[in-house]
Amino acid sequence: MDQISQRIMDLKDEIVKTRRYFHSHPETGWFTFFTTAVIANKMAKMGFNVKLGKEVVDPDARQGLGSKEDCQKYLKRAKTLLNEEQAKYLDKMEDGLTGLVAEIDTKKPGKLVAFRFDIDGVDVTECKEGTHRPFKDGFRADIDGITHACGHDGHITIGLFTAKLISENLDKFKGKFRFIFQTAEEGTRGAVAMEKAGVVKGVDYLLGGHIGFQATTMKGIICKTDKLLATTKFDVTLTGKSAHAAGAPQEGNNALLAAAQMALNMHGITRNAKGVTRINVGVLKAGEGRNVIAPNAYLACETRGETTELNEFMKNECDKIIKGVSEIYGVKYEVKVTGGTSGGDSDYEVAQIYENAAKQSPFIDNDKIENELSFGACEDFAHFMHAVQNQGGKSSYLMIGTTLKSGHHSSKFDFDEDSLLAGIDVFVRSAYAINKDENK
């Protein structure tokens, strides 16, 4: 594998250029038309079998879609950015069926190894200050309101060059390789629909990770991320009845008070002794005027749990509160799930593979290898991981060390691009190690 590391060094300029290309053209949620088409075109040229649209996304299982108007707006924007060869892939992305899966077969016995890389941006306007490198060096986002402020441009790049190195050296590998480029990771909206379409069916090993987060040292790595929290994101819409607040308050049904009662009661849910749980009502909007009994209200809520079961406990308790309070105040309610993912822990076996790969990599320092981290947050990867583990496979989520100019989801977010080399090298070495002893 030493020649692979040298090849990565030789490709460094192209790697950096690719990251900056995607950084310049960010897209949000299910509207990653440009990103999906460019990746699909590149993967096809490498010899991968590319699948798109309904083959990789269950349309009815998507969450947090966004408006049809925005869908058409971003589709139109993508068409202006793509060349004819790339644009042909748009035909399968009707109504925002973005994201893709690409697979290659070595034609030699071995395990099916899958990788997951997220591809969407964050709904943040990128900084325009002269000290911000993307602005200074001319690769700032070409649109306001969206930027790659979580490193997904780097993840795309790691995925593409991991695929490139495997395809260039296919005779040295065994088994099959599947690359899942997932959209709508932000808000944990995409994994469920892709998993229901069967994208991890038959997977023996699922590999994935993230640049930064708790791995904030260059040439460092965290091999096993545990306590990936399960979550459910949901909106509650209440419909009451307006009335004059002084002349006939008894004739109204106060949606504002119902919403306030729900928020207080949800935050008062008894915690579960089996593990960590979280609840947050982040938005509450209600009413139409100071002298009118509020006829409407809206709450944006989320639950989290250390396991999928604990998150379900929290969500079920919220559902009871919503139903009960609605009956008390005489309001109608609608609950809409807008996102969610499973929870869980990484497998030790895969983490050990990462660790061994990191020890061999010239882009990682041995004294900066961390074996385990309790994350305590959510990542859509966990849903895929949960599905793979349930079918008897193995998975682990790593974190690639990098210095950060500002925190994730910040308008000034940027990372050290040398971390891309480390990520590519560890993934390629891990992919090789999984099948190297197969049928010797």
Side-chain angles (χ1 to χ4, degrees):
M1 287 285 104
D2 289 341
Q3 74 275 16
I4 296 291
S5 299
Q6 183 57 53
R7 176 68 171 142
I8 293 171
M9 283 298 301
D10 294 341
L11 288 168
K12 181 178 177 179
D13 288 347
E14 186 180 342
I15 290 168
V16 170
K17 183 179 179 181
T18 299
R19 178 259 166 157
R20 295 184 177 191
Y21 177 64
F22 284 107
H23 188 92
S24 297
H25 307 299
E27 296 172 298
T28 185
W30 289 100
F31 305 145
T32 54
F33 298 105
F34 162 81
T35 308
T36 299
V38 173
I39 295 170
N41 189 49
K42 287 179 178 291
M43 295 297 284
K45 285 183 175 180
M46 294 179 208
F48 284 79
N49 176 33
V50 175
K51 295 181 179 180
L52 296 154
K54 293 179 181 178
E55 288 186 285
V56 300
V57 177
D58 182 336
D60 297 328
R62 290 178 297 167
Q63 300 171 331
L65 286 181
S67 70
K68 290 184 178 180
E69 291 76 17
D70 280 346
C71 182
Q72 290 304 308
K73 179 179 75 173
Y74 289 112
L75 176 58
K76 183 178 180 180
R77 173 175 174 258
K79 289 178 179 178
T80 67
L81 295 170
L82 297 168
N83 61 38
E84 185 176 347
E85 185 179 56
Q86 297 163 336
K88 67 183 181 182
Y89 293 100
L90 293 175
D91 293 341
K92 292 188 177 181
M93 298 183 220
E94 59 180 281
D95 192 32
L97 293 173
T98 53
L100 71 139
V101 172
E103 191 165 310
I104 198 165
D105 189 348
T106 68
K107 306 298 183 183
K108 288 176 280 188
K111 305 295 185 183
L112 172 53
V113 180
F115 301 86
R116 196 286 323 233
F117 300 99
D118 39 17
I119 67 175
D120 55 323
V122 181
D123 294 338
V124 171
T125 295
E126 187 167 13
C127 174
K128 297 181 181 179
E129 295 176 7
T131 55
H132 182 54
R133 185 178 59 165
F135 179 79
K136 181 179 65 175
D137 291 351
F139 65 98
R140 179 192 178 272
D142 64 352
I143 186 172
D144 285 343
I146 311 170
T147 187
H148 275 296
C150 201
H152 295 189
D153 50 343
H155 301 167
I156 296 166
T157 305
I158 290 171
L160 285 171
F161 282 88
T162 298
K164 180 180 178 69
L165 288 163
I166 289 175
S167 65
E168 286 180 351
N169 298 275
L170 203 59
D171 61 319
K172 296 181 176 65
F173 289 86
K174 296 176 182 178
K176 296 179 181 179
F177 297 96
R178 182 181 298 169
F179 285 74
I180 302 165
F181 290 94
Q182 182 213 326
T183 194
E185 192 284 324
E186 297 295 345
T188 59
R189 294 174 285 161
V192 170
M194 294 191 81
E195 183 268 321
K196 285 186 178 295
V199 303
V200 293
K201 186 176 181 180
V203 169
D204 296 301
Y205 288 85
L206 175 66
L207 312 184
H210 208 293
I211 293 170
F213 274 132
Q214 279 93 329
T216 56
T217 303
M218 283 303 299
K219 304 195 79 173
I221 190 171
I222 299 169
C223 300
K224 185 176 188 287
T225 306
D226 291 331
K227 299 296 181 287
L228 290 159
L229 301 186
T231 186
T232 302
K233 322 291 186 185
F234 60 98
D235 295 340
V236 184
T237 302
L238 303 179
T239 304
K241 181 181 177 183
S242 60
H244 196 289
Q250 73 282 0
E251 295 179 7
N253 298 104
N254 199 317
L256 185 154
L257 292 182
Q261 191 69 55
M262 288 177 189
L264 290 171
N265 287 356
M266 283 193 275
H267 276 270
I269 293 172
T270 301
R271 294 300 180 258
N272 195 307
K274 294 181 180 179
V276 173
T277 56
R278 297 282 189 270
I279 172 70
N280 189 56
V281 179
V283 178
L284 194 164
K285 299 178 181 178
E288 294 180 345
R290 73 175 68 249
N291 61 346
V292 180
I293 299 298
N296 50 57
Y298 164 82
L299 302 94
C301 316
E302 67 167 21
T303 57
R304 301 186 191 225
E306 187 174 322
T307 64
T308 302
E309 292 71 27
L310 284 167
N311 180 62
E312 288 174 352
F313 162 78
M314 294 297 290
K315 177 59 167 58
N316 289 339
E317 292 299 301
C318 288
D319 288 341
K320 293 176 188 176
I321 290 167
I322 293 165
K323 181 180 179 181
V325 172
S326 294
E327 290 178 358
I328 292 170
Y329 283 87
V331 300
K332 296 178 181 178
Y333 69 91
E334 179 185 4
V335 178
K336 182 179 181 181
V337 175
T338 61
T341 193
S342 303
D345 296 329
S346 296
D347 288 299
Y348 175 78
E349 179 185 333
V350 184
Q352 193 65 52
I353 292 169
Y354 288 153
E355 183 178 346
N356 291 337
K359 287 178 178 177
Q360 297 165 12
S361 173
F363 306 110
I364 301 288
D365 289 340
N366 284 357
D367 61 349
K368 295 177 182 176
I369 297 173
E370 295 185 47
N371 296 325
E372 194 169 347
L373 169 78
S374 181
F375 189 34
C378 304
E379 223 286 2
D380 229 5
F381 179 86
H383 185 82
F384 291 125
M385 181 170 72
H386 189 70
V388 168
Q389 290 169 336
N390 281 349
Q391 66 191 23
K394 303 288 186 180
S395 180
S396 184
Y397 188 77
L398 59 77
M399 292 187 185
I400 302 159
T402 182
T403 53
L404 299 173
K405 294 298 181 182
S406 188
H408 292 270
H409 293 203
S410 162
S411 66
K412 297 181 180 180
F413 177 84
D414 192 22
F415 61 86
D416 190 319
E417 290 161 332
D418 281 350
S419 63
L420 300 173
L421 312 186
I424 296 164
D425 197 49
V426 169
F427 277 132
V428 173
R429 288 177 182 274
S430 297
Y432 176 78
I434 287 169
N435 279 320
K436 72 174 182 178
D437 295 325
E438 191 75 21
N439 293 336
K440 264 192 173 180

